[in-house]
């Protein structure tokens, strides 16, 4: 067998083995899972997720996913717990301990403290008859026939099942809490996700740069205004009413089709009824609108349709909203 064939065969077998385990997980879930979700949903404390080794890494991810979707959670490393980190566990907290075998020494060492402290213990394990399984108040069963590792040693299938079950738990709690995009935005203020959910057009316009000309202003006046404000466009307004928009592209087209510009004024160059959006419009939605309409500028208005400024498509792209 060639190296390429060996690689492809191994990769496909790994995917197949892990997919089969996920099918087993789906078949094993039932009333007990629903009870655990309801228990956590009604809890007044946080969720402490713990584990060791690869299960510890998955536990860290589960805690992060829970926290970011509206269920306050914290990760506690199984090895550090006995050296002071157990102080993170408060009376009303629920502890989820991950261990494929259910007999991991570090996790076993935690259990007496958890029981004496009166915390609810949920064991996530592939071995319900293990020490963790026997001591847990509830079990999140992670069935694993074998690891995808050809020697059945490296945690592969088992960690995939743990990860998926953790995601299922987080998504169910998210539904019960009626966690909405606006809630997501509140705890994800930075990065592309946060910007897509809460960055508004009003945050991007420079209200000190409001290019504006009157209908009878000359081409020279228009060019000067566009150059000075550096937004590549200006509105045409009269008595505080927006009549049109002139872009630098409009000026080029006028110059291409006219040998003389004498007598050409703003009203001859403008695009009437330009696209306008309210200042509270989401920037991400504004970018989608500009792309669909194939325009580079939007006129921003406030209360009473008052002109506030112009936003350029590059202003939105620079914010990372194009991803």
């Amino acid at each position: 067998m060639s190296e390429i064939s060996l690689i492809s065969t191994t990769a496909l077998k790994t995917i197949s083995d892990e997919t089969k385990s996920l099918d087993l997980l789906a078949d094993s879930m039932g009333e007990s899972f629903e009870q655990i979700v309801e228990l956590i949903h009604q809890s007044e404390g946080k969720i402490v997720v713990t584990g060791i080794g690869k299960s510890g890494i998955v536990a860290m991810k589960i805690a992060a996913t829970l926290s970011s979707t509206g269920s306050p959670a914290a990760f506690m490393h199984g090895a550090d717990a006995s050296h002071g980190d157990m102080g993170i566990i408060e009376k009303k907290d629920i502890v989820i301990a991950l261990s494929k075998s259910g007999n991991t020494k570090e996790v076993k060492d935690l259990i007496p403290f958890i029981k004496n402290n009166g915390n609810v213990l949920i064991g996530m394990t592939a071995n319900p008859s293990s020490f963790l399984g026997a001591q847990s108040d509830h079990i999140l069963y992670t069935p694993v026939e074998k690891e995808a590792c050809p020697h059945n040693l490296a945690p592969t299938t088992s960690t995939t099942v743990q990860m998926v079950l953790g995601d299922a738990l987080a998504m169910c709690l998210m539904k019960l809490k009626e966690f909405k995009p606006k809630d997501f935005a509140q705890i994800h203020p930075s990065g592309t996700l946060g910007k897509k959910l809460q960055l508004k057009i009003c945050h991007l316009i420079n209200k000190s740069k409001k290019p504006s000309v009157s209908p009878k202003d000359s081409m020279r006046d228009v060019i000067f205004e566009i150059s000075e404000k550096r937004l590549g466009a200006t509105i045409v307004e009269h008595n505080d009413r927006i009549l049109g928009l002139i872009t630098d592209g409009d000026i080029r087209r006028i110059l291409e089709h006219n040998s003389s510009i004498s007598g050409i004024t703003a009203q001859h160059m403008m695009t009437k009824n330009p696209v306008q959006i309210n200042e509270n419009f989401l920037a991400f939605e504004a970018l989608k609108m500009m792309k669909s309409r194939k325009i580079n500028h939007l006129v921003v208005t406030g209360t009473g349709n008052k002109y506030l400024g112009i936003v350029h498509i590059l202003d939105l792209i620079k914010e990372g909203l194009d991803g």
Side-chain angles (χ1 to χ4, degrees), residues 74-94:
F75 168 68
M76 179 180 68
H77 195 284
D80 295 334
S82 298
H83 299 278
D85 282 12
M86 278 191 290
I88 196 175
I89 303 176
E90 299 174 291
K91 288 288 184 181
K92 294 182 179 180
D93 293 345
I94 291 177

Side-chain angles (χ1 to χ4, degrees), residues 192-223:
T192 302
L193 286 175
K195 287 181 178 179
K196 285 182 178 181
L197 291 168
Q198 70 177 16
L199 186 67
K200 297 178 181 179
I201 283 295
C202 60
H203 299 137
L204 298 178
I205 60 171
N206 185 342
K207 293 184 180 181
S208 66
K209 287 186 176 182
K210 293 169 53 180
S212 172
V213 295
S214 68
K216 296 187 182 300
D217 280 345
S218 67
M219 179 177 279
R220 181 180 182 281
D221 294 328
V222 172
I223 293 173

Side-chain angles (χ1 to χ4, degrees), residues 180-197:
K180 300 290 192 301
K182 63 180 178 62
D183 303 311
F184 193 89
Q186 290 297 317
I187 54 177
H188 295 79
S190 298
T192 302
L193 286 175
K195 287 181 178 179
K196 285 182 178 181
L197 291 168

Side-chain angles (χ1 to χ4, degrees), residues 9 20 27 32 46 69 72 96 104 115 159 166 170-171 174 189 203 210 225 227 229-230 245 266 271 283 292 307:
T9 301
K20 287 177 183 176
D27 292 339
S32 60
K46 64 182 178 294
T69 53
I96 301 178
T104 306
K115 305 300 282 187
T159 49
M171 295 305 100
M174 188 177 180
H203 299 137
K210 293 169 53 180
E225 183 69 358
S227 298
K229 301 299 169 56
R230 298 185 178 183
L245 178 75
T271 299
S292 66
Y307 170 54

Side-chain angles (χ1 to χ4, degrees), residues 21-192:
S21 286
L22 293 180
D23 289 336
L24 287 174
L25 175 63
D27 292 339
S28 70
M29 293 178 69
E31 203 171 304
S32 60
F33 178 77
E34 293 180 6
Q35 291 172 350
I36 290 170
V37 172
E38 283 289 350
L39 175 70
I40 297 174
H41 178 56
Q42 298 298 331
S43 172
E44 296 179 2
K46 64 182 178 294
I47 309 161
V48 177
V49 193
T50 188
I52 193 76
K54 303 300 186 295
S55 291
I57 295 171
V58 175
M60 185 186 300
K61 190 271 179 188
I62 291 174
T65 300
L66 287 166
S67 290
S68 70
T69 53
S71 298
F75 168 68
M76 179 180 68
H77 195 284
D80 295 334
S82 298
H83 299 278
D85 282 12
M86 278 191 290
I88 196 175
I89 303 176
E90 299 174 291
K91 288 288 184 181
K92 294 182 179 180
D93 293 345
I94 291 177
V95 180
I96 301 178
L98 278 66
S99 171
K100 176 192 173 185
S101 69
N103 292 310
T104 306
K105 179 183 182 303
E106 290 85 354
V107 173
K108 288 171 68 175
D109 290 344
L110 291 174
I111 292 176
F113 170 82
I114 294 168
K115 305 300 282 187
N116 291 336
N117 203 43
N119 299 100
V120 172
L121 174 62
I122 299 172
M124 185 182 288
T125 180
N127 186 8
S129 61
S130 63
F131 184 83
L132 174 60
Q135 294 295 317
S136 294
D137 299 296
H138 302 274
I139 294 176
L140 287 168
Y141 180 44
T142 52
V144 177
E145 288 186 344
K146 66 181 292 297
E147 299 288 4
C149 167
H151 306 299
N152 196 27
L153 294 173
T156 44
T157 305
S158 58
T159 49
T160 297
V161 174
Q162 289 174 340
M163 188 89 73
V164 170
L165 187 54
D167 284 344
L169 181 65
M171 295 305 100
C172 289
L173 290 167
M174 188 177 180
K175 281 281 189 181
L176 290 177
K177 290 175 179 289
E178 297 183 351
F179 195 77
K180 300 290 192 301
K182 63 180 178 62
D183 303 311
F184 193 89
Q186 290 297 317
I187 54 177
H188 295 79
S190 298
T192 302

